[in-house]
Amino acid sequence: MLRSSIIGLGILIIVVYAIDNIIFTMKSKAVSNSLNLLKRLSIPNENRPFLMITSIGNPENQYQNTRHSVGHSILHEYARRNGFNVKKSISRFEFLSNENKDNIILYETQGYMNLSGKNLVQPWSKILELKLKESFNPVLIVLHDELDLELGKVKVRKQNSSHRGHNGLKDIQKYIGKGYTAVQIGIGRNYQKEGERNRNPNIVADYVLSKFKPEEKDIIDEISVEKVSDIIEEMENGKYIFDKQ
């Protein structure tokens, strides 16, 4: 009887060990699939595109209307002008939606610019999971500041593009990859004289963290917001969002 009990115990240990291995393998595959989904490039399919438009910058209370946070300023003004006034909580994340547009949601990335990817990965994962189940084709759009574009200029950068030294995009690529379309919002290099190429990091940091002058803010509100609005309208119709380098 003792021998039978020992044999039975041995079989039980083997079975438990095998089950643990199966569970570990399944969890590893789930994590791998999740990472692959996050880091995928958006491609067209039979489903309607769903745009998650996110801004990156620094915390609003301290850095409101600073050049580095121009993405937040544009997002807020776009939301105000286009009826995105419904707060929508998904998991613990708060988005802005418009009841008449089921194909767009707005999200202001929380925290500091240098941690944009870390702070964006979970809300984007939630949208991916939810909208794929609803038979949409989710697409990520990132609004950010760009020193090498003059104030009032706006430019779209394709998926798979380099971050070109932008710390917010660098962190996004670390956590999410290059499967997003960037909308660059020009802030210019107005800290240097014409023809000068001053890239002193301290001077640049002071400049991007400074607030817009009233006349510069007017350009953002009157020109840049309109250009971004036009681009988003084109994106709704499939333009730009599936292009890649």
Side-chain angles (χ1 to χ4, degrees):
M1 180 178 283
L2 179 61
R3 185 179 177 185
S4 298
S5 298
I6 292 172
I7 292 171
L9 181 60
I11 292 171
L12 179 62
I13 291 170
I14 291 170
V15 170
V16 170
Y17 180 77
I19 291 171
D20 281 347
N21 275 340
I22 291 169
I23 291 171
F24 177 78
T25 301
M26 289 174 66
K27 285 183 177 178
S28 296
K29 284 182 178 177
V31 170
S32 177
N33 290 340
S34 178
L35 286 173
N36 289 338
L37 183 62
L38 264 178
K39 297 205 168 187
R40 89 208 202 293
L41 296 181
S42 294
I43 58 173
N45 58 30
E46 69 278 6
N47 296 327
R48 205 158 52 111
F50 181 91
L51 310 184
M52 175 171 151
I53 302 170
T54 186
S55 59
I56 57 176
N58 287 312
E60 281 291 275
N61 289 343
Q62 186 177 354
Y63 295 97
Q64 189 172 14
N65 290 328
T66 58
R67 301 171 203 277
H68 216 19
S69 293
V70 70
H72 291 337
S73 299
I74 295 280
L75 190 79
H76 296 165
E77 191 59 23
Y78 173 81
R80 187 185 69 79
R81 295 183 190 184
N82 292 277
F84 285 84
N85 51 19
V86 179
K87 291 183 179 179
K88 190 170 188 177
S89 292
I90 299 173
S91 187
R92 59 186 176 85
F93 306 105
E94 192 171 273
F95 301 82
L96 284 176
S97 64
N98 178 332
E99 292 178 339
N100 297 316
K101 282 187 175 288
D102 65 345
N103 62 328
I104 298 180
I105 203 163
L106 309 183
Y107 181 72
E108 179 185 319
T109 304
Q110 302 300 296
Y112 289 93
M113 177 68 89
N114 291 4
L115 300 176
S116 294
K118 183 178 180 181
N119 293 327
L120 183 58
V121 65
Q122 289 189 43
W124 172 229
S125 296
K126 293 295 180 185
I127 291 296
L128 267 176
E129 179 185 357
L130 180 64
K131 295 305 170 182
L132 285 171
K133 286 179 182 176
E134 294 177 359
S135 296
F136 278 103
N137 186 2
V139 175
L140 181 62
I141 313 297
V142 179
L143 309 182
H144 71 90
D145 62 308
E146 179 52 56
L147 280 164
D148 289 329
L149 277 182
E150 289 302 315
L151 191 68
K153 302 275 188 185
V154 174
K155 183 179 178 181
V156 177
R157 293 204 79 215
K158 300 174 183 178
Q159 296 181 96
N160 221 28
S161 294
S162 163
H163 55 69
R164 298 172 72 243
H166 191 288
N167 287 330
L169 298 182
K170 190 187 297 184
D171 203 59
I172 288 174
Q173 292 187 10
K174 175 182 175 182
Y175 285 90
I176 295 174
K178 297 182 178 181
Y180 62 89
T181 300
V183 179
Q184 301 175 307
I185 300 148
I187 61 171
R189 291 183 178 271
N190 297 329
Y191 55 85
Q192 59 192 17
K193 296 175 183 177
E194 189 173 349
E196 186 181 50
R197 295 293 283 176
N198 191 332
R199 293 183 182 271
N200 181 310
N202 293 326
I203 293 174
V204 173
D206 288 344
Y207 175 71
V208 298
L209 294 177
S210 66
K211 292 184 182 291
F212 286 110
K213 298 173 183 175
E215 61 271 23
E216 293 174 323
K217 188 67 169 64
D218 288 343
I219 292 173
I220 293 295
D221 291 342
E222 293 170 15
I223 298 175
S224 302
V225 174
E226 286 302 313
K227 288 182 177 179
V228 171
S229 297
D230 291 343
I231 287 169
I232 291 172
E233 187 174 341
E234 291 177 310
M235 287 176 165
E236 286 187 78
N237 296 315
K239 191 172 182 180
Y240 306 121
I241 55 177
F242 301 120
D243 295 345
K244 58 180 183 285
Q245 289 283 65

